[in-house]
């Protein structure tokens, strides 16, 4: 059963912020929200994760709604190298299940 | 640190052959995972391990076996290879808790 729902694809202009949404309406209280990305055929790359509070690191920001039923990954200044498939995952027991993700294309 | 190292990078097997995909990590991570990714699809969990001597099945374990005799190594064994096992295989590790996974660069396997 899919725990998250993401758009299939999105476009973003280079230099602009990329906002990737994720719905996880059945998330339980102890499940974290994780984001990974996969560039072409490489191994997935961890980006960020959070439980309740918004989080920021050198790669991105994660905004989680107060009811925790949805979240948004923000890449503040997208570059062509950010073109990838982005996966949103909810997990609490160390066996993450990946869905189809969102294919983000950053255009010049 | 080399991170997570997978070998080989590419392999072609004939139907019915067997092989072992190697995965090793040098980060002293307790948790290790094997995923497969079919073309255009997300990753599916095959097996995982929470420490040396402990393994457990994921979503798609049939046709595979694993062992975890050391913290560093988590080999994946394919017995009697079938065309349905044509895929890209990724190994990952995690220190534990709620930290992110570190993935290897993958093994592209074709069964003909």
């Amino acid at each position: 059963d899919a725990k998250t729902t993401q758009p299939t694809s999105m476009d973003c202009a280079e230099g602009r912020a990329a906002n990737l949404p994720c719905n996880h309406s059945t998330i339980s209280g102890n499940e974290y929200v994780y984001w990974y990305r996969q560039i072409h055929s490489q191994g997935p790359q961890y980006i960020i994760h959070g439980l309740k509070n918004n989080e920021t690191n050198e790669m991105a920001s994660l905004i989680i709604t107060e009811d925790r039923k949805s979240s948004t990954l923000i890449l503040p200044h997208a570059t062509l190298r950010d073109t990838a498939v982005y996966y949103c995952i909810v997990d609490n027991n160390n066996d993450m299940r990946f869905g189809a993700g969102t294919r983000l294309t950053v255009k010049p | 640190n080399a991170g997570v190292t997978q070998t080989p990078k590419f392999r072609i097997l004939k139907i019915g052959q067997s092989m072992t995909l190697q995965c090793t990590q040098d980060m002293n991570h307790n948790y290790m995972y094997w995923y497969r990714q079919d073309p255009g699809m997300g990753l599916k969990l095959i097996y995982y391990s929470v420490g040396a001597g402990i393994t457990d099945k994921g979503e798609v374990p049939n046709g595979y076996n694993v062992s975890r005799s050391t913290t560093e190594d988590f080999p994946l064994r394919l017995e009697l290879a079938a065309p349905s096992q044509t895929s890209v295989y990724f190994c990952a590790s995690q220190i534990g808790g709620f930290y992110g996974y570190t993935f290897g660069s993958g093994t592209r396997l074709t069964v003909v």
Side-chain angles (χ1 to χ4, degrees), chain A residues 4-68:
Chain A
T4 64
T5 304
Q6 299 178 252
T8 303
S9 63
M10 294 180 62
D11 291 341
C12 176
E14 187 178 20
R16 304 296 294 268
N19 297 285
L20 291 89
C22 181
N23 287 322
H24 30 80
S25 58
T26 61
I27 191 170
S28 61
N30 59 353
E31 287 183 314
Y32 281 70
V33 179
Y34 293 83
W35 284 85
Y36 288 78
R37 72 180 182 183
Q38 187 173 25
I39 297 173
H40 194 43
S41 55
Q42 298 175 20
Q45 177 188 22
Y46 163 79
I47 302 173
I48 199 167
H49 74 284
L51 182 63
K52 296 180 182 178
N53 299 322
N54 299 336
E55 302 287 344
T56 296
N57 63 20
E58 65 278 4
M59 291 182 67
S61 295
L62 173 61
I63 309 298
I64 302 174
T65 58
E66 193 168 342
D67 63 8
R68 303 211 321 125

Side-chain angles (χ1 to χ4, degrees), chain B residues 45-80:
Chain B
L45 181 65
I46 305 172
Y47 271 96
Y48 65 100
S49 169
V50 301
I54 305 169
T55 62
D56 212 342
K57 297 178 179 179
E59 300 171 86
V60 290
N62 292 343
Y64 307 95
N65 280 300
V66 294
S67 60
R68 184 92 183 273
S69 57
T70 67
T71 299
E72 295 79 18
D73 300 307
F74 190 40
L76 178 71
R77 178 80 178 165
L78 279 71
E79 305 281 2
L80 299 174

Side-chain angles (χ1 to χ4, degrees), chain B residues 13-76:
Chain B
L13 275 183
K14 293 184 177 180
I15 295 171
Q17 287 185 322
S18 301
M19 76 165 293
T20 299
L21 282 67
Q22 301 292 344
C23 176
T24 187
Q25 52 93 6
D26 62 357
M27 298 172 285
N28 202 31
H29 284 178
N30 293 317
Y31 293 73
M32 295 188 74
Y33 307 84
W34 275 106
Y35 288 87
R36 60 175 285 173
Q37 185 174 34
D38 298 334
M41 307 293 286
L43 283 74
K44 298 292 186 185
L45 181 65
I46 305 172
Y47 271 96
Y48 65 100
S49 169
V50 301
I54 305 169
T55 62
D56 212 342
K57 297 178 179 179
E59 300 171 86
V60 290
N62 292 343
Y64 307 95
N65 280 300
V66 294
S67 60
R68 184 92 183 273
S69 57
T70 67
T71 299
E72 295 79 18
D73 300 307
F74 190 40
L76 178 71

